[in-house]
Amino acid sequence: MHNLGTDVVVTGAGPTGLMLAHELALAGVDVVVLERHPERTGLSKALNLQPRTAEMLELRGLLDGVEARSYATVQDGHFAMIPVGYDGWDTRFPFQLGIPQAAVEGFLEERLAAQGTKVMRGSEVVDFVQDKDSVTVRYRTDGGETRLRAKFLVGCDGSRSVVRKGLGMGFPGVDGEGFGVVADVLFDKTPAGAQKQWRTMRNIGEPTGETTFKGLIPLGEPGLYRFVYGDRASRPADMRSTVTHDEVRQALHDSYGESATVSEIRWASRFSDAARQAEHYRAGRVLLAGDAAHIHFPAGGQGLNLGVQDAMNLGWKLAATVHGWAGDDLLDTYEAERHPVGAQVLHNVAAQLGLTPRSHESRALRAVFADLAALPEVSRYLSGMVSGLGIRYETYGTSHAALGTRLTDQDVLTDTGPIRPSTLFHNGDFVLLTTTPAHIDAARSQAPRLTTQLVTELPWPSTEAVLYRPDGYACWTAPTPPR
Ligand SMILES: Cc1cc2nc3c(=O)[nH]c(=O)nc-3n(C[C@H](O)[C@H](O)[C@H](O)COP(=O)(O)OP(=O)(O)OC[C@H]3O[C@@H](n4cnc5c(N)ncnc54)[C@H](O)[C@@H]3O)c2cc1C
């Protein structure tokens, strides 16, 4: 391969593209991020990080920086606005972090720049062509059009992805029937009953009629709230039309009457309840991640988290392929693992929408479901589904209980005292925890970039070694030999 401009072009500097670029740069891959916006917009659709995303950021030593920019710790998640707890999960972070998407993006962009990779803003990808060895990406800037040749292109360019469309990739699913609006509203007089600080999903939002809903989430500044409302049975003629302040004021009045007065509406935007997923996440040298690969109604606070977790799954696999120690088989596991996860999210969002109290029967169903969700096992199941904590990837070989599961990051004992295993993942290597040095060579033959840690015991019986992938899932174990 000759005259390559870079190893990987990432299209889009949203949370997915930034996380992926971070992972690639950490692994020594030459990456260029092309972003059409000349400046960061500072606007936030998402407001939360789920526990599994927090765990993944912790693996890279990024969580402290994110926590410093967060404004709330929310003790639960929700399923169809029915609170579900994370306490049934073995995690250091059994809560959501309240943090605007723009703050996550700003932080990731800073970390990326610290690694020497700058986002090329004002660079809009127009199209691309791929051949056996490379992808040539055409993008537009103020100065005209430029071409950049790379080994791989990843479309992290959101729901209307030019990369997905350029592939002619199927995007099957359902068109939305309704609409929602998010608006950041500064109140003079806060609506009665609104939480002052965001600590729980309890009473944050609710269905208000057979198809309508509303919610009010504190944004960490006195009087400032995210107001969400909509109707799942009707939509404006033009979903891209500007949301007028009058429209928001009317909706606030309909929801809270005289109990609220508004001083300022800072930002408002529409969203749809369409649900679609790309048929494939890979076509040759082009891959899709985040909203470019899946879109759904923002129920449960999942979309950004799903995209960041896609990026963590793809990053090390793509890096290994670029560096030449893994081939198509490994890269294909990105789709094999993440497509079902995306499908499952679309499925659970549909189930959440199914719990809308549209009829006498569905109101009864919702009430019964809320009773069930209060049971610890059910709550654990549902919170595992919306957070990603419940993911277990399929593995081959043995049926060891650890395989395919995530690192829970409980302290492990070493000769010099207890350590947190997550600290071993900061440089993006595979990590081997073993009681026996003899396993180190075997692990290194599978994972050239390896950090090893001798421990005095492992939390699984009859196990001498567990190898973790860079994204924190166990992929190989060594049993204690029979006496
Ligand atoms: C109202 C609403 C509320 C939401 N709330 C939550 C929530 O609470 N929790 C949650 O987890 N998720 C939530 N989401 C979903 C979340 O916002 C998205 O899943 C997330 O933004 C996806 O990130 P992404 O990086 O994949 O795509 P995006 O954030 O869409 O980023 C794509 C980037 O690509 C750029 N781009 C696009 N085309 C091109 C091009 N041709 N060339 C160069 N650059 C391009 C765009 O400018 C953009 O910067 C919500 C969504 C909505 C609509």
Side-chain angles (χ1 to χ4, degrees):
M1 215 185 289
H2 302 289
N3 300 326
L4 284 173
T6 188
D7 290 327
V8 178
V9 171
V10 171
T11 306
T16 307
L18 290 168
M19 192 72 219
L20 177 63
H22 178 274
E23 287 299 287
L24 292 169
L26 186 65
V29 171
D30 194 17
V31 56
V32 170
V33 184
L34 300 176
E35 165 58 51
R36 69 177 169 184
H37 284 305
E39 306 285 341
R40 295 193 34 237
T41 66
L43 299 175
S44 294
K45 293 179 283 183
L47 292 178
N48 70 322
L49 291 178
Q50 294 279 359
R52 180 61 189 143
T53 313
E55 287 182 346
M56 286 183 153
L57 293 169
E58 180 74 342
L59 291 181
R60 296 293 180 263
L62 297 174
L63 188 62
D64 284 351
V66 166
E67 273 185 318
R69 286 161 174 79
S70 70
Y71 70 92
T73 302
V74 186
Q75 68 193 25
D76 45 23
H78 77 95
F79 195 89
M81 298 317 298
I82 297 164
V84 290
Y86 301 108
D87 33 355
W89 289 97
D90 186 3
T91 175
R92 286 186 185 267
F93 313 109
F95 49 79
Q96 299 187 83
L97 278 181
I99 177 167
Q101 178 165 342
V104 175
E105 290 170 1
F107 174 71
L108 289 176
E109 194 166 339
E110 261 175 53
R111 298 308 308 151
L112 192 59
Q115 287 174 315
T117 304
K118 283 226 163 81
V119 173
M120 286 176 57
R121 296 199 160 271
S123 305
E124 178 168 12
V125 170
V126 181
D127 57 20
F128 60 89
V129 285
Q130 61 168 321
D131 58 31
K132 192 167 65 54
D133 298 319
S134 66
V135 193
T136 304
V137 181
R138 190 162 62 106
Y139 64 96
R140 191 185 295 135
T141 63
D142 271 356
E145 283 189 359
T146 311
R147 283 183 169 74
L148 180 60
R149 200 160 156 243
K151 292 178 189 164
F152 290 94
L153 165 67
V154 190
C156 302
D157 48 345
S159 57
R160 297 186 181 119
S161 169
V162 164
V163 176
R164 187 188 67 234
K165 290 175 186 163
L167 285 172
M169 183 62 72
F171 199 41
V174 291
D175 284 330
E177 290 172 8
F179 79 98
V181 167
V182 281
D184 291 352
V185 175
L186 186 63
F187 288 103
D188 282 329
K189 196 167 121 202
T190 308
Q195 290 184 28
K196 293 270 180 290
Q197 284 175 330
W198 189 18
R199 296 195 197 285
T200 168
M201 293 309 296
R202 203 164 290 284
N203 303 325
I204 275 281
E206 60 190 346
T208 49
E210 291 186 359
T211 57
T212 52
F213 57 89
K214 69 167 188 194
L216 212 49
I217 304 173
L219 287 177
E221 198 183 310
L224 188 63
Y225 285 79
R226 164 66 52 91
F227 176 45
V228 190
Y229 68 93
D231 186 344
R232 294 218 41 250
S234 79
R235 55 167 40 207
D238 179 5
M239 276 296 287
R240 296 198 199 187
S241 61
T242 309
V243 185
T244 65
H245 287 191
D246 282 350
E247 184 181 338
V248 177
R249 281 176 199 277
Q250 184 62 50
L252 282 165
H253 187 267
D254 294 347
S255 298
Y256 304 107
E258 301 303 323
S259 84
T261 55
V262 180
S263 112
E264 189 187 337
I265 296 165
R266 294 201 176 161
W267 172 68
S269 171
R270 286 183 214 288
F271 60 94
S272 144
D273 54 354
R276 297 188 170 276
Q277 188 179 23
E279 244 158 6
H280 295 288
Y281 285 13
R282 179 181 179 199
R285 295 186 165 273
V286 183
L287 297 114
L288 299 170
D291 276 18
H294 37 68
I295 55 161
H296 55 82
F297 188 78
Q302 304 180 78
L304 175 150
N305 290 272
L306 185 60
V308 169
Q309 294 177 31
D310 282 350
M312 284 291 286
N313 187 291
L314 177 57
W316 65 272
K317 294 174 181 174
L318 192 51
T321 312
V322 167
H323 289 317
W325 66 260
D328 273 354
D329 286 1
L330 181 67
L331 198 51
D332 281 341
T333 66
Y334 166 61
E335 173 174 321
E337 292 185 343
R338 295 305 294 175
H339 197 283
V341 171
Q344 196 279 338
V345 169
L346 263 65
H347 184 69
N348 85 49
V349 167
Q352 294 187 60
L353 295 176
L355 287 167
T356 304
R358 282 182 184 234
S359 63
H360 169 65
E361 283 89 351
S362 57
R363 272 191 289 281
L365 176 64
R366 187 176 170 88
V368 171
F369 191 90
D371 288 345
L372 286 173
L375 302 175
E377 263 307 295
V378 180
S379 178
R380 182 178 188 278
Y381 173 79
L382 295 171
S383 64
M385 201 149 64
V386 292
S387 63
L389 286 172
I391 292 169
R392 180 172 186 181
Y393 291 128
E394 195 175 327
T395 52
Y396 303 96
T398 73
S399 57
H400 192 286
L403 284 176
T405 64
R406 51 182 251 288
L407 177 84
T408 55
D409 203 22
Q410 300 315 315
D411 284 357
V412 285
L413 274 179
T414 72
D415 281 344
T416 53
I419 62 158
R420 278 180 68 173
S422 61
T423 56
L424 303 167
F425 288 75
H426 287 190
N427 60 4
D429 284 356
F430 279 74
V431 172
L432 180 73
L433 301 179
T434 181
T435 55
T436 319
H439 294 300
I440 293 176
D441 283 346
R444 203 175 299 282
S445 70
Q446 306 184 53
R449 291 189 44 155
L450 183 66
T451 296
T452 59
Q453 178 64 55
L454 280 175
V455 296
T456 52
E457 61 179 355
L458 284 164
W460 294 276
S462 311
T463 306
E464 288 190 344
V466 181
L467 178 65
Y468 287 94
R469 314 178 335 182
D471 57 348
Y473 290 88
C475 60
W476 178 79
T477 55
T480 308
R483 281 178 189 273

